[in-house]
C-alpha cells in the first residue's frame, strides 16, 4: 500500500535549516487502521501533509502501491486513491452538501437518495443536510462528518485524517468515534489517523509513535497502547489540549 523510505523534511529557521522529519521509514499495509500519535510538535501533521502531497520532502521517497509518488501533486495522488481530511474542514460558501458529495464521487448524475446514503453512514439525517450549504451555519462536528461522507463517496485506497477531533465538542467526538468504527468495519482500503485521543488509539490495528521527527515506537495496538497511556508524554499532550 504505502511505503515511506528515508523521508526527511526541513524548513528554514533563521540562517539554518530545521529538520521536522528525520530519515523516517514506515510501511502501511492493505486494509489497515493505523493511528500515528506522539507529543505536539513531533512531526505528525507534517508527515500527513507529506503523504497527501501538500508538502514536498527534502529527501527520501514515498511509494503508493509500488509507484513512486514523491513528486506527484495532491491532485495526482487523489486520482490514484489517496484522500486527505484537514484538521479544520474547508467551508464552501454557495456549495450544497449534495454538490460536494457528487464532486467527491465523480458523478454529477448521482441521485439525491444515493448521496443521502453517505450522510446516513456518518450519522447525519440526510433530509436535514443534503441541500444545506457547506458554510458557517454548520458546526465543526457537522463539517467533520460531511467531510468523512465525501471520503466514503470517493471510496479511496488510503484515507488520511489529520487530528479529526480538533475543535469539536464531546458529543460530536463521540459520534466521530462511531463513524470511524463503522469505517474500520466496512472500508476496502486503509485508514491513517493522526491523533493522541485514547479512544481513537483504542480502535486502531497498529499504532505509530512519532517524536522529534522520528518513529519511537511502532506495533500492534495491544503492544503499544499500554506503553504510552499514562506516560509523561501523554500527560503533557492532554494538558496542552486543555490549556
Amino acid at each position: 500500500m504505502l511505503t515511506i523510505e528515508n523521508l526527511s523534511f526541513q524548513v528554514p529557521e533563521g540562517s539554518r535549516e530545521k529538520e521536522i522529519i528525520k530519515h523516517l521509514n514506515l510501511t502501511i499495509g492493505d486494509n489497515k487502521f493505523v493511528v500515528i500519535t506522539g507529543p505536539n510538535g513531533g512531526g505528525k501533521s507534517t508527515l500527513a501533509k507529506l503523504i497527501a502531497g501538500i508538502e514536498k520532502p527534502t529527501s527520501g521517497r514515498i511509494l503508493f502501491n509500488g509507484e513512486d509518488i514523491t513528486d506527484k501533486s495532491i491532485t495526482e495522488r487523489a486520482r490514484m486513491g489517496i484522500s486527505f481530511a484537514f484538521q479544520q474542514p474547508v467551508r464552501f460558501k454557495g456549495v450544497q452538501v449534495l454538490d460536494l458529495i457528487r464532486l467527491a464521487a465523480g458523478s454529477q448524475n448521482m441521485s439525491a437518495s444515493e448521496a443521502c446514503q453517505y450522510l446516513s453512514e456518518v450519522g447525519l439525517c440526510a433530509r436535514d443536510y443534503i441541500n444545506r450549504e457547506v458554510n458557517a451555519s454548520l458546526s465543526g462536528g457537522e463539517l467533520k462528518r460531511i467531510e468523512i461522507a465525501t471520503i466514503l463517496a470517493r471510496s479511496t485506497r488510503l484515507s488520511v485524517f489529520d487530528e479529526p477531533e480538533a475543535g469539536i465538542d464531546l458529543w460530536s467526538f463521540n459520534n466521530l468515534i462511531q463513524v470511524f468504527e463503522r469505517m474500520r468495519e466496512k472500508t476496502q482500503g486503509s485508514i491513517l489517523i493522526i491523533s493522541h485521543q485514547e479512544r481513537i488509539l483504542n480502535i486502531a490495528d497498529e499504532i505509530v509513535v512519532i517524536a522529534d521527527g522520528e518513529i519511537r515506537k511502532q506495533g500492534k495496538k495491544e503492544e503499544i497502547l499500554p506503553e504510552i497511556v499514562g506516560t509523561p508524554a501523554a500527560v503533557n499532550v492532554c494538558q496542552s489540549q486543555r490549556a
Side-chain angles (χ1 to χ4, degrees), residues 5-220:
E5 298 180 348
N6 202 32
L7 201 69
S8 293
F9 179 71
Q10 299 174 343
V11 295
E13 188 176 66
S15 59
R16 304 176 59 185
E17 294 287 324
K18 181 179 180 180
E19 201 166 25
I20 307 297
I21 300 295
K22 305 173 182 177
H23 307 288
L24 189 145
N25 293 280
L26 177 65
T27 299
I28 297 174
D30 291 326
N31 303 316
K32 293 293 184 180
F33 190 119
V34 180
V35 177
I36 296 180
T37 191
N40 290 336
K44 305 184 300 297
S45 291
T46 298
L47 178 59
K49 291 175 182 176
L50 288 167
I51 292 171
I54 297 171
E55 298 284 3
K56 299 297 182 184
T58 306
S59 61
R61 297 198 307 165
I62 302 174
L63 306 176
F64 185 60
N65 292 329
E67 182 176 349
D68 191 337
I69 63 170
T70 310
D71 295 323
K72 292 188 180 299
S73 68
I74 185 171
T75 301
E76 291 172 315
R77 296 183 199 205
R79 289 172 179 162
M80 294 176 69
I82 299 177
S83 292
F84 181 78
F86 292 88
Q87 281 190 34
Q88 300 297 329
V90 179
R91 300 175 191 269
F92 300 93
K93 186 177 180 180
V95 176
Q96 292 184 331
V97 172
L98 174 59
D99 298 326
L100 199 61
I101 294 176
R102 283 174 171 170
L103 181 63
S107 174
Q108 291 302 312
N109 296 321
M110 174 183 283
S111 68
S113 61
E114 289 175 313
C116 284
Q117 292 178 9
Y118 295 110
L119 293 175
S120 297
E121 283 288 328
V122 297
L124 294 176
C125 180
R127 67 184 180 190
D128 293 338
Y129 288 91
I130 195 68
N131 294 317
R132 288 185 64 176
E133 286 191 20
V134 188
N135 57 23
S137 69
L138 295 168
S139 70
E142 289 170 329
L143 282 169
K144 295 273 187 179
R145 283 188 277 171
I146 289 169
E147 185 175 49
I148 294 172
T150 65
I151 289 176
L152 291 174
R154 289 197 60 214
S155 188
T156 50
R157 296 290 307 280
L158 176 64
S159 302
V160 182
F161 297 88
D162 186 9
E163 297 195 27
E165 70 276 9
I168 64 171
D169 57 40
L170 180 60
W171 183 88
S172 297
F173 176 69
N174 289 338
N175 280 275
L176 278 176
I177 294 295
Q178 295 174 14
V179 170
F180 286 131
E181 286 175 333
R182 289 195 292 269
M183 281 189 69
R184 186 181 184 278
E185 294 172 359
K186 297 181 179 182
T187 184
Q188 298 301 309
S190 293
I191 301 170
L192 175 62
I193 298 182
I194 308 298
S195 179
H196 42 65
Q197 289 289 340
E198 184 177 346
R199 288 185 60 188
I200 293 180
L201 291 166
N202 202 45
I203 60 175
D205 295 319
E206 301 174 5
I207 295 174
V208 179
V209 181
I210 293 181
D212 297 322
E214 300 175 323
I215 293 178
R216 298 297 173 85
K217 297 179 185 293
Q218 180 180 358
K220 295 181 179 180

Side-chain angles (χ1 to χ4, degrees), residues 212-232:
D212 297 322
E214 300 175 323
I215 293 178
R216 298 297 173 85
K217 297 179 185 293
Q218 180 180 358
K220 295 181 179 180
K221 172 192 67 180
E222 294 78 10
E223 301 168 353
I224 304 299
L225 192 56
E227 296 181 16
I228 62 176
V229 173
T231 62

